[in-house]
Structures are given as C-alpha cells and as structure tokens.
Amino acid sequence: QVQLVESGGGLVQAGGSLRLSCAASGRTFSRHAMGWFRQAPGKEREFVAAIRWSTGSTYYADSVKGRFTISRDNAKNTVYLQMNSLKPEDTAVYYCAARSTFATIQALSDANPYDYWGQGTQVTASS
C-alpha cells in the first residue's frame, strides 16, 4: 500500500504564501508523475499542477500559472506546492496524487488515472 500525506495548509490573508508538502511512503511503485488538485465547497475537484517524476517537467492550470510552483525531492519522496500571491478563490481542500502510468504533459490534468491520493489539507485565503 502507498500512503500520501499532505501538510502545510492553513489560513493566510490574500496576497500571502503557503507551501504544501506531500510525502509518499509505503511500498515502492513506479511513479510517473505527481499532481496537486483542489476542491472548493460546492465545486468539482480541479487540477492545479503536476510534475513528471523522472524529468521534473511541470504543468499548471492557467488559474495558478505564475503564482504556484510545483517541485519534488526524489530523495525524500516528497512533492511540494509553493503558493504565492494567494487569492480568496484559491480557498479549497488541496489533494496530492500519484500515478504510475505515462501521460502526455497535458493529460496530467486528468484526475481519473491517478492511482493514489492523500487525505487533503485545507487552504484558506481570506480577503
């Protein structure tokens, strides 16, 4: 079994910053990519960012491009999401996910093929 544990969420004022972490543990699996998704109350889960584990190639939703940065630390089996210039509309539960199957960089935004998910961490940006 693979466990993904997110941390780093919290409450910040609009314009502030947070860094989310997602640590993977458990059995070894071939990891093609990891991603961050979010879900606000009453809304569907949406893609935020993804990173190819081997190459470090990244892909972002237009709504966060230029403000959020996804990165990974292979040695620590951890993926990060640095969030700057937070807006009230960024308020959501943020989930990290891992997938083992190959996808084009654009297809990484599709949540369905991800194999493992974390429990989520709340991010609130107050106006």
Side-chain angles (χ1 to χ4, degrees):
Q1 188 70 333
V2 174
Q3 291 84 37
L4 302 179
V5 179
E6 301 102 334
S7 61
L11 172 64
V12 295
Q13 288 190 332
S17 299
L18 284 173
R19 189 175 84 151
L20 305 183
S21 300
C22 174
S25 63
R27 70 172 182 85
T28 302
F29 72 102
S30 178
R31 191 178 327 173
H32 171 64
M34 293 190 72
W36 287 96
F37 294 78
R38 65 188 182 187
Q39 187 166 20
K43 295 188 177 181
E44 294 188 352
R45 187 171 298 189
E46 66 173 0
F47 169 74
V48 176
I51 186 167
R52 281 226 179 103
W53 200 253
S54 59
T55 65
S57 299
T58 57
Y59 182 52
Y60 297 92
D62 288 342
S63 58
V64 306
K65 203 172 294 183
R67 300 187 297 122
F68 290 11
T69 302
I70 188 171
S71 61
R72 90 270 194 243
D73 184 326
N74 294 39
K76 294 183 178 180
N77 273 329
T78 299
V79 64
Y80 304 96
L81 185 69
Q82 177 66 45
M83 304 184 295
N84 298 329
S85 302
L86 281 160
K87 303 175 181 180
E89 51 264 43
D90 295 318
T91 295
V93 177
Y94 283 70
Y95 299 90
C96 75
R99 63 178 290 164
S100 58
T101 53
F102 174 82
T104 61
I105 197 70
Q106 293 84 357
L108 291 176
S109 61
D110 183 357
N112 290 326
Y114 282 80
D115 304 288
Y116 304 101
W117 291 81
Q119 82 289 350
T121 186
Q122 177 70 46
V123 170
T124 303
S126 63
S127 56

